């Protein structure tokens, strides 16, 4: 999500209405008001609506939504006569270039702030941290066309933005804050991308930093836009967003010849959509004319066609319109979600609990009946808690997280008992006796399965208690187990047992080893048990969706 | 006063002729121990029927070492008496008690040492400690010193005197029956009918009872069960699935672009392992690259076959839905999943790396966005949220998308989940042509609202007292 600062005075000037009205309706086009201040508001927009990442874009949308100015915005583009060439050596480095000349710019501090904010938000949303696309805006009057986008030697020098002295491109990557942030995007290459004018003045070092020479200020009247990147669609979209935002601020757009092709093309995209499909998807009864009117509020061009179709013109800045249904969603937004008559369909089906959930519910009932309190410990834990403190060898089925946030969330549990011991540790100052159980998912290898474990801590806890509880639990589960001597090191030798069902080990019980007690800072004996729920009758042979 | 215990009555009866007596005398009269007599006397005193006076006295006895010194004098006194005027330190240290005594000689100022020679100072009058040593008694100034030197041991003797009060006398005069009192009925008393004449003890309700705690399910599990009951009653079938998934199912099959920041909206726990792409993955690839045969343009670019093989801990329960639909392609389908999901977040009061998420889907002919809103209103209504409103939302796999908000008194409108209709790019690769309504929400958020919790961690690393004290039947505020 992107948080955009909207200056009230600028927003009111661009929309022609007051801030109260705007703030009231803004959530209805899909946004969250994050915080309001005296002179501006911070609004969170969705990552698909990059056209709203500037005050100009929000104003354009709101003028439509509020009925002030509807229909498709027009963005005429006239040739600038300026040309740009692209060095073939960039093909493996950063091959795509978008550009435009933007004239008659009148940017006050709020306008510049909006433009810089828009650039950074686009770098995040479309540019993926500038990898796919990076944007530069330059004061055109300080440089002389034609312009070249070339692969330059690493030792090429220029004065980077906000610096006084010349640095080589290599030095910029080491010493400039932006250089350090984005070095990883270019430092593998022999040569670096560079944009220069006819006099060899540097405009920018994409995607790292602009030159100081062409810095945009409140004095700037004409802008040269550069969008460079690794993906042509993203480059084109970024150029469209910047051009249309500045056009909304009163500028005029001129095209640049890039290796002979004029750029940008701000024509709308045409889609022929079905009125009936929209009606059926949204569930509202509107005719073609009504649908067209709603789309005009959302700044589309829209015109009914004879056969129940609509000709929709999608503005060049709507990066999110990929499918006909995206247009239908805008119809619903314009209609107003709260105006849609919500209704349940006549779909009769029978509910059914998943068999694994049935087993877990029954197990829960047995253990609460035996006097145990349920806890719900985390699935992520540490190898220390899961094995080390339990005196057990680490299982080959243990899964480790690639980049854990901390040791405490570094592995996925393969049993539940260690986590119950940890809950006892957390509660060592609470009144005894404490009898706790947990049931839930464990993961061994890549398989998800379920287990149940129970612990009892009090001065008289002993093997007999664990044995009696496991026996009662198995009986209530409908199991006929065989109990044999266990070798599990977590329990005291001679006071531990394994549970065999059909000759296969499915559980363990006993009196917890004092070394384990000490490892968990416990001062009283613990009787404990754990059982694999796959052994319980009713557990499905093929778990997963039924 | 009919509720006096038998022991209290017997004490008063024995005390009345004495008027006052020591604990020992009273114990003898009652045929019991002094401790018991004092305990019962205190109970009577609590009712104003007797008065108990406690006195304590300290007595002292000599330790074996103390006894020896009383007979022969303290070590420093013995040394002092062993020489005239002055003595060399060398000779002085030859005395058997020098190790103890020399320090005390200097401390008491009985000798002065210069140039290796000890001279008597002439100041050697018997000290308080020597006086106390002869016959140690409480209050003597020298006792403290002797205690420190472990020459004397202190004993505290506590004595009680119990007196009857006028109220007690009046009660005895009125007559007290001394029948044995019954606590727990015995089998014999029940069988032979002697309970009729037994003196059954009465119990006070002014003292709270001993607290007992039942075994019971976790408060959060009870909320999960409530939610499940709602969906089962609405005709939804429960789904479950794997926790470890390939990124194909967690992201790509749900039309999430491989490098779009939306993937960062769900910070992911990656595992160092891969799972091969499933049969039919080509349809998903086509959707991403160019939209296949739908009206979609797709995301464009080249879809990597490597990226989606990476395994992750599931970040949501939505993958269950698409796999369920693949296995159950005939409408109508209504299904839900309620399970734990994993997000790479540090733990704080409102964030945990694991939490429970609910996912529901409806696939049927002729269902629409209007019906989705209907299901949401019905579902949230049954959850106890009467006021529901809808805002546009965004999710990569649904279109239209909506965010339900519910009104919570004291909090205002609270966003509770997200919903939408599965994009055609999600359903078309598997041949699903019927519309699919879908919604999800974090159940732990619901639990915080319903349980009044301020700290999410309490759900997972629970204080047992919180679980004990959470009643099974909750009052709705």
């Amino acid at each position: 999500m992107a948080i955009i600062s909207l200056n009230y005075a600028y927003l009111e000037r661009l929309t022609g209405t007051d801030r109260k009205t705007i703030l009231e309706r803004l959530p209805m086009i899909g946004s969250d008001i994050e915080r309001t201040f005296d002179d501006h508001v911070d609004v969170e927009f969705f990552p698909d609506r990059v056209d709203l990442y500037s005050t100009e874009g929000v104003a354009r949308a709101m003028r439509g939504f509020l009925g002030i100015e509807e229909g498709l915005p027009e963005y005429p583009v006239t040739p600038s006569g300026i040309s740009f060439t692209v060095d073939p050596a960039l093909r493996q480095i950063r091959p795509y270039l978008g550009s435009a000349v933007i004239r008659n710019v009148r940017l006050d501090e709020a306008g510049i702030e909006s433009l810089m904010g828009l650039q950074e938000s686009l770098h995040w949303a479309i540019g993926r941290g500038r990898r796919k696309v990076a944007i530069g805006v330059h004061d055109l009057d300080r440089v002389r066309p034609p312009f070249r986008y070339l692969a330059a030697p690493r030792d090429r020098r220029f004065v980077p933005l906000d610096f006084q002295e010349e640095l080589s491109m290599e030095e910029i990557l080491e010493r400039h804050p932006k250089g350090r942030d984005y070095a990883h995007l270019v430092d593998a290459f022999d040569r670096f991308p560079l944009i220069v004018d006819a006099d060899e003045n540097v405009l920018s070092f994409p995607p790292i930093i602009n030159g100081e020479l062409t810095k945009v200020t409140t004095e700037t009247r004409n802008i040269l836009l550069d969008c460079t990147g690794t993906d042509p669609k993203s480059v084109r979209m970024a150029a469209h967003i910047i051009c249309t935002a500045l056009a909304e601020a009163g500028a005029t757009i001129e095209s640049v010849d890039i290796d002979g092709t004029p750029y940008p093309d701000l024509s709308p995209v045409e889609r022929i959509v079905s009125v009936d499909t929209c009606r059926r998807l949204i569930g509202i009864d509107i005719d073609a004319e009504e649908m067209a009117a709603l789309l005009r509020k959302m700044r589309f061009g829209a015109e009914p066609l004879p056969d129940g179709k609509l000709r929709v013109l999608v503005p060049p800045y709507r990066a999110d319109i990929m499918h006909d249904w995206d247009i239908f969603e805008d119809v619903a937004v314009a209609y107003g979600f709260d105006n849609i008559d919500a209704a349940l369909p006549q779909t009769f089906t029978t509910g059914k609990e998943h068999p694994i959930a049935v087993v877990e519910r029954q197990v829960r009932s047995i253990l609460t009946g035996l006097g145990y309190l349920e806890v719900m410990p985390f699935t992520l834990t540490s190898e220390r808690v899961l094995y080390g403190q339990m005196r057990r060898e680490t299982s080959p089925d243990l899964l480790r997280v690639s980049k854990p946030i901390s040791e405490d969330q570094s592995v996925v549990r393969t049993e539940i008992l260690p986590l119950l011991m940890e809950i006892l540790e957390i509660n060592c100052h609470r009144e005894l006796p404490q009898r706790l159980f947990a049931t839930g998912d464990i993961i061994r290898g890549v398989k998800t399965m379920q287990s149940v474990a129970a612990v009892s801590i009090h001065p008289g806890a002993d093997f007999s208690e664990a044995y009696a509880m496991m026996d009662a639990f198995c009986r209530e589960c409908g199991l006929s187990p065989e109990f044999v001597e266990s070798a599990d090191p977590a329990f005291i030798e001679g006071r531990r047992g394994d549970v065999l069902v059909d000759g296969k080990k499915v559980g363990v019980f006993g009196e917890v080893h004092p070394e384990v007690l000490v490892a968990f800072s416990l001062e009283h004996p613990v009787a404990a048990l754990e059982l694999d729920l796959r052994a319980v009758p009713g557990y499905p042979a093929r778990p997963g969706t039924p | 006063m009919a509720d006096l215990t038998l022991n209290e009555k017997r004490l008063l009866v024995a005390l009345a002729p004495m008027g006052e007596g020591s604990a020992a005398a009273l114990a003898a009269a009652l045929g019991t121990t002094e401790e018991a007599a004092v305990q019962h006397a205190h109970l009577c005193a609590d009712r104003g029927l007797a008065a108990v006076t406690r006195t304590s006295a300290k007595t002292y006895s000599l330790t074996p070492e103390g006894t020896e010194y009383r007979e022969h004098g303290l070590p420093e006194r013995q040394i002092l008496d062993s020489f005239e005027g002055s003595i060399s330190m060398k000779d002085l240290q030859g005395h058997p008690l020098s190790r103890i005594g020399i320090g005390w000689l200097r401390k008491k100022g009985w000798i002065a040492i210069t140039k290796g020679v000890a001279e008597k100072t002439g100041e050697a009058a018997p000290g308080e400690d020597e006086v106390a040593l002869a016959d140690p008694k409480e209050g003597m100034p020298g006792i403290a010193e002797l205690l420190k030197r472990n020459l004397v041991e202190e004993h505290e003797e506590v004595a009680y005197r119990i007196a009857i009060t006028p109220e007690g006398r009046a009660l005895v005069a009125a007559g007290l029956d001394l029948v044995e009192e019954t606590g727990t009925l015995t089998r014999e008393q029940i069988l032979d009918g002697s309970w009729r004449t037994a003196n059954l003890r009465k119990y006070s309700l002014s003292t709270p009872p001993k607290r007992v705690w039942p075994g019971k399910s976790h408060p959060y599990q009870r909320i999960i069960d409530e939610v499940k009951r709602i969906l089962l009653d609405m005709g939804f079938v429960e789904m479950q699935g794997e926790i470890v998934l390939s990124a194909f199912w967690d992201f790509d099959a749900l039309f999430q672009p491989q490098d779009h920041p939306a993937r960062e909206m769900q910070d992911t726990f990656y595992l160092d392992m891969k799972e091969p792409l499933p049969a039919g993955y080509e349809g998903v690839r086509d959707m991403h690259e160019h939209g296949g045969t739908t009206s979609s343009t797709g995301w464009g670019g080249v879809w990597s076959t490597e990226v989606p093989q990476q395994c992750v801990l599931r970040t949501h329960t939505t993958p269950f839905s698409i796999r369920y639909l693949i296995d159950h392609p005939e409408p109508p389908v209504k299904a839900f999943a309620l399970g734990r999901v994993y997000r790479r977040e540090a733990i704080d009061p409102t964030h945990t790396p694991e939490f429970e998420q609910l996912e529901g889907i409806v696939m049927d002919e002729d269902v629409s966005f209007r019906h989705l809103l209907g299901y949401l209103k019905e579902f949230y209504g049954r959850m106890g949220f009467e006021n529901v409103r809808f805002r546009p939302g965004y999710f990569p796999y649904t279109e239209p998308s909506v965010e339900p908000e519910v009104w919570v008194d004291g909090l205002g409108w609270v966003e509770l989940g997200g919903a939408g209709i599965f994009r055609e790019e999600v359903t078309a690769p598997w041949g699903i042509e019927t519309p699919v309504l879908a919604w999800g929400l974090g159940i732990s958020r619901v639990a915080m609202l319903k349980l009044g919790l301020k700290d999410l961690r309490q759900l997972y690393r629970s204080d047992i007292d919180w679980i004990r004290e959470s009643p099974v039947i909750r009052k709705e505020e």
Side-chain angles (χ1 to χ4, degrees), chain A residues 183-358:
Chain A
H184 62 278
L185 297 174
V186 294
D187 62 13
F189 300 112
D190 291 340
R191 298 172 78 88
F192 292 151
L194 192 70
I195 296 179
V196 298
D197 75 347
D199 299 323
E200 292 292 319
N201 292 310
V202 172
L203 283 77
S204 92
F205 169 13
I208 309 295
I209 191 65
N210 282 356
E212 172 69 9
L213 174 66
T214 54
K215 181 174 183 176
V216 170
T217 69
T218 54
E219 306 301 312
T220 301
R221 292 293 170 263
N222 302 301
I223 284 175
L224 179 75
L225 170 70
D226 85 67
C227 296
T228 62
T230 57
D231 176 61
K233 192 171 176 181
S234 301
V235 165
R236 183 167 63 252
M237 189 50 61
H240 289 181
I241 299 293
I242 298 283
C243 289
T244 55
L246 290 174
E248 293 294 335
T252 58
I253 311 300
E254 296 177 5
S255 64
V256 169
D257 260 32
I258 299 181
D259 284 338
T261 303
Y263 207 112
D265 175 7
L266 298 180
S267 314
V269 175
E270 182 185 271
R271 272 184 179 265
I272 306 298
V273 303
S274 161
V275 175
D276 189 57
T277 302
C278 179
R279 262 199 301 260
R280 281 188 288 105
L281 184 73
I282 307 301
I284 54 179
D285 189 16
I286 53 173
D287 63 23
E289 190 54 57
E290 286 166 332
M291 183 170 163
L294 291 167
L295 284 171
R296 288 188 207 107
K297 281 185 65 171
M298 303 301 286
R299 309 308 309 264
F300 292 91
E303 175 192 316
L305 295 175
D307 49 352
K309 295 288 206 297
L310 213 64
R311 177 170 171 265
V312 178
L313 298 177
V314 180
Y317 53 79
R318 287 296 299 264
D320 57 312
I321 303 297
M322 303 168 59
H323 190 287
D324 291 355
W325 291 15
D326 295 313
I327 291 175
F328 301 156
E329 178 182 63
D330 272 54
V331 170
V333 169
Y335 191 88
F337 283 7
D338 286 333
N339 295 325
I340 296 174
D341 182 20
L344 283 176
Q346 297 304 312
T347 304
F348 180 78
T349 56
T350 303
K352 183 170 182 277
E353 201 175 6
H354 193 279
I356 291 176
V358 173

Side-chain angles (χ1 to χ4, degrees), chain A residues 37-168:
Chain A
F37 302 86
D38 285 346
D39 64 342
H40 73 280
V41 60
D42 283 348
V43 183
E44 187 173 31
F45 290 102
F46 299 126
D48 63 328
R49 290 300 304 267
V50 292
D51 58 297
L52 300 176
Y53 285 5
S54 68
T55 309
E56 297 86 357
V58 172
R60 169 180 58 207
M62 293 310 293
R63 289 200 303 272
F65 200 65
L66 299 172
I68 296 166
E69 179 188 290
E70 297 181 351
L72 184 72
E74 296 281 337
Y75 300 106
V77 179
T78 58
S80 67
I82 289 169
S83 67
F84 229 125
T85 58
V86 178
D87 184 352
L90 285 161
R91 188 167 299 115
Q92 301 305 318
I93 301 173
R94 196 170 179 87
Y96 301 107
L97 172 69
S99 185
V101 167
I102 305 168
R103 293 197 185 275
N104 307 313
V105 169
R106 287 287 188 277
L107 293 170
D108 57 12
E109 287 303 333
I112 290 185
E113 198 173 307
S114 181
L115 178 56
M116 298 303 142
L118 176 57
Q119 271 184 267
E120 285 309 308
S121 298
L122 292 175
H123 283 157
W124 171 76
I126 300 181
R128 193 64 160 124
R130 302 193 183 190
R131 190 180 74 256
K132 283 177 103 176
V133 53
I135 300 157
V137 290
H138 310 283
D139 189 329
L140 179 61
D141 296 328
R142 293 168 172 266
V143 284
R144 192 165 69 85
F147 301 100
R148 284 184 295 143
Y149 178 38
L150 54 84
R154 294 164 71 107
D155 58 2
R156 180 69 152 83
R157 303 175 65 84
F158 70 97
V159 181
L161 187 65
D162 296 330
F163 270 48
Q164 302 299 317
E165 79 269 34
E166 263 190 4
L167 296 176
S168 71

Side-chain angles (χ1 to χ4, degrees), chain B residues 152-393:
Chain B
V152 161
E153 286 174 334
E154 183 178 86
H155 314 279
E156 182 174 15
E157 293 188 349
V158 175
Y160 290 92
R161 291 199 70 80
I162 297 106
I164 196 166
T165 63
E167 293 86 347
R169 285 189 183 282
L171 196 60
V172 173
L176 289 170
D177 68 271
L178 299 181
V179 179
E180 186 65 54
E181 197 174 64
T182 294
T184 303
L185 288 177
T186 66
R187 178 170 177 273
E188 284 69 32
Q189 285 171 319
I190 293 166
L191 289 177
D192 66 18
S194 60
W195 58 268
R196 290 189 176 87
T197 56
N199 185 23
L200 300 180
R201 178 179 297 157
K202 294 176 173 61
Y203 291 94
S204 168
L205 296 176
S206 60
T207 305
K210 176 177 165 58
R211 259 193 158 181
V212 296
W213 307 109
K216 58 184 175 178
S217 57
H218 193 287
Y220 188 26
Q221 184 62 47
R222 294 197 290 273
I223 287 180
I224 287 170
D225 289 342
E226 276 177 44
V227 171
K228 282 181 54 167
R229 173 55 46 199
I230 289 168
L231 288 162
L232 292 167
D233 288 349
M234 288 175 69
F236 286 77
V237 171
E238 186 176 15
M239 308 179 270
Q240 280 199 13
E242 297 287 331
I243 285 171
V244 176
L245 298 174
S246 64
F248 177 86
W249 289 113
D250 204 68
F251 298 120
D252 294 82
L254 297 165
F255 200 54
Q256 200 170 83
Q258 290 185 330
D259 66 354
H260 196 277
R263 231 154 177 154
E264 289 186 81
M265 291 169 71
Q266 301 168 341
D267 295 311
T268 307
F269 283 111
Y270 282 91
L271 304 169
D272 278 331
M273 57 198 315
K274 296 190 174 192
E275 198 170 283
L277 296 175
Y281 80 86
E282 293 89 351
V284 169
R285 175 202 60 201
D286 291 350
M287 289 298 152
H288 279 253
E289 290 188 347
H290 50 72
T293 57
T294 71
S295 70
S296 178
T297 60
W299 299 111
V302 177
W303 186 79
S304 163
T305 55
E306 281 301 308
V307 166
Q309 294 186 47
Q310 191 71 46
C311 287
V312 304
L313 297 182
R314 69 190 185 203
T315 61
H316 49 183
T317 48
T318 315
F320 299 167
S321 297
I322 197 62
R323 293 173 80 158
Y324 189 85
L325 292 169
I326 292 168
D327 290 338
H328 301 79
E330 289 304 315
V333 170
K334 286 160 68 180
F336 77 94
L338 207 168
R340 196 169 283 190
V341 298
Y342 304 85
R343 305 280 176 86
R344 199 171 163 281
E345 296 213 44
I347 297 181
D348 68 36
T350 57
H351 296 92
T352 50
E354 316 171 26
F355 54 95
E356 274 63 27
Q357 196 169 66
L358 169 70
E359 169 90 11
I361 55 171
V362 177
M363 175 178 70
D364 199 8
E365 306 289 359
D366 300 326
V367 290
S368 69
F369 190 64
R370 178 170 89 111
H371 299 123
L372 174 61
L373 302 186
Y375 272 111
L376 293 169
K377 281 201 168 181
E378 179 70 18
F379 174 72
Y380 285 107
R382 293 197 192 200
M383 291 254 286
F385 300 108
E386 299 303 325
N387 280 304
V388 187
R389 73 175 187 183
F390 303 107
R391 289 284 170 269

Side-chain angles (χ1 to χ4, degrees), chain A residues 483-502:
Chain A
F483 298 131
V484 300
E485 195 73 32
S486 173
D488 192 324
F491 299 92
I492 299 173
E493 182 179 356
R495 298 184 180 190
R496 56 194 179 186
D498 282 342
V499 182
L500 305 187
V501 171
D502 298 329

